[in-house]
């Protein structure tokens, strides 16, 4: 068993404070997720803290009605959706992310998706962008949870990995090469795997698309009654 696997997996604490919160506050930082076997995923903090780009706008183009941005980060999607007239709320476990979102003119609260949420069962659209399908390390559990958050036939838009992958890992946040968080569970899910998990969690796929560079991939799902 790896060193990481033998350690207790934490809850949302790695994202609440420390290097991640500092990077969101500064709008920059060299952060990665890494496991004990050498897997590494870069966290694109600068993009997350910038204005919505073309790919982000393609997501907001497809939003309907009231929008819940799960893991809203610095708030660029909340800002863009609000600018277009949507009633939108961002949730994030990181207080710094919530402050950033509010400073951009959006509404946000510090909350985990697995905690009670305002308007449960009444959201028209939910968003899982920037790899947030990985939250909790169990995509099916996350999709089942969101099914109960949106209204009947509500929409969920998920950003998937650009490769065909379906992995569960125990990771830490790293600042540079140094580990900077406890171990926690994370998942990486490509489009094919997401469609499979979605079908088993009460969702029907309605659309797939990629950003203009082909590096970012998205799937829209509709909740089944």
């Amino acid at each position: 068993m790896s060193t990481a696997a033998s350690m207790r997996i934490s809850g949302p604490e790695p994202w609440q404070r420390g290097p991640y919160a500092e990077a969101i506050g500064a709008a920059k930082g060299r952060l990665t997720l890494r496991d004990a076997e050498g897997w590494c995923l870069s966290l694109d903090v600068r993009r997350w803290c910038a204005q919505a780009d073309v790919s982000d706008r393609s997501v907001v183009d497809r939003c309907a009605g009231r929008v819940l941005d799960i893991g809203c980060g610095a708030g660029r999607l909340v800002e863009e959706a609000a600018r277009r007239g949507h009633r939108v709320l961002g949730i994030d476990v990181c207080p710094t992310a919530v402050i950033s979102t509010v400073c951009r003119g959006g509404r946000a609260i510090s909350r985990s998706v697995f905690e009670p949420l305002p308007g449960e069962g009444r959201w028209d659209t939910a968003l899982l962008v920037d790899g947030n399908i990985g939250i909790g390390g169990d995509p099916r559990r996350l999709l089942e949870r969101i099914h109960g958050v949106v209204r009947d036939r509500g929409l969920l838009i998920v950003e998937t990995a650009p490769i065909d992958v379906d992995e569960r890992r125990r990771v830490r946040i790293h600042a540079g090469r140094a580990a900077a968080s406890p171990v926690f569970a994370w998942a990486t899910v490509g489009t094919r795997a997401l469609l499979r998990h979605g079908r088993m969690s009460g969702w029907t796929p309605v659309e797939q698309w990629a950003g203009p560079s082909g590096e970012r991939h998205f799937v829209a799902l509709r909740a089944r009654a």
Side-chain angles (χ1 to χ4, degrees), residues 124-172:
D124 299 292
T125 305
L127 305 179
L128 282 175
V129 180
D130 299 329
N132 284 334
I133 185 63
I135 290 171
D138 186 342
R140 198 165 299 171
R141 174 177 176 242
L142 179 58
L143 291 169
E144 289 171 352
R145 167 60 179 144
I146 297 171
H147 193 280
V149 170
V150 301
R151 64 170 176 80
D152 290 347
R153 302 282 298 161
L155 188 68
L156 170 62
I157 300 176
V158 182
E159 182 170 357
T160 58
I163 58 174
D164 188 12
V165 64
D166 188 11
E167 298 177 340
R168 315 288 177 274
R169 295 184 179 275
R170 298 178 178 189
V171 302
R172 297 178 189 265

Side-chain angles (χ1 to χ4, degrees), residues 74-201:
R76 73 187 194 283
L77 290 171
V78 173
E79 178 184 44
E80 178 67 15
R83 186 184 67 79
R84 300 197 196 185
H86 291 282
R87 292 182 60 189
V88 55
L89 176 69
I91 63 169
D92 204 292
V93 297
C94 177
T96 304
V98 171
I99 292 169
S100 173
T101 302
V102 172
C103 287
R104 296 171 81 141
R107 293 175 57 240
I109 60 172
S110 183
R111 197 73 55 87
S112 164
V113 66
F114 296 109
E115 296 175 326
L117 297 175
E120 290 209 18
R122 300 195 300 275
W123 293 99
D124 299 292
T125 305
L127 305 179
L128 282 175
V129 180
D130 299 329
N132 284 334
I133 185 63
I135 290 171
D138 186 342
R140 198 165 299 171
R141 174 177 176 242
L142 179 58
L143 291 169
E144 289 171 352
R145 167 60 179 144
I146 297 171
H147 193 280
V149 170
V150 301
R151 64 170 176 80
D152 290 347
R153 302 282 298 161
L155 188 68
L156 170 62
I157 300 176
V158 182
E159 182 170 357
T160 58
I163 58 174
D164 188 12
V165 64
D166 188 11
E167 298 177 340
R168 315 288 177 274
R169 295 184 179 275
R170 298 178 178 189
V171 302
R172 297 178 189 265
I173 297 173
H174 280 63
R177 299 290 298 182
S181 81
V183 174
F184 59 98
W186 196 253
T188 308
V189 180
T191 296
R192 184 181 300 180
L194 177 73
L195 296 175
R196 182 173 66 254
H197 292 306
R199 290 188 187 100
M200 300 183 72
S201 305

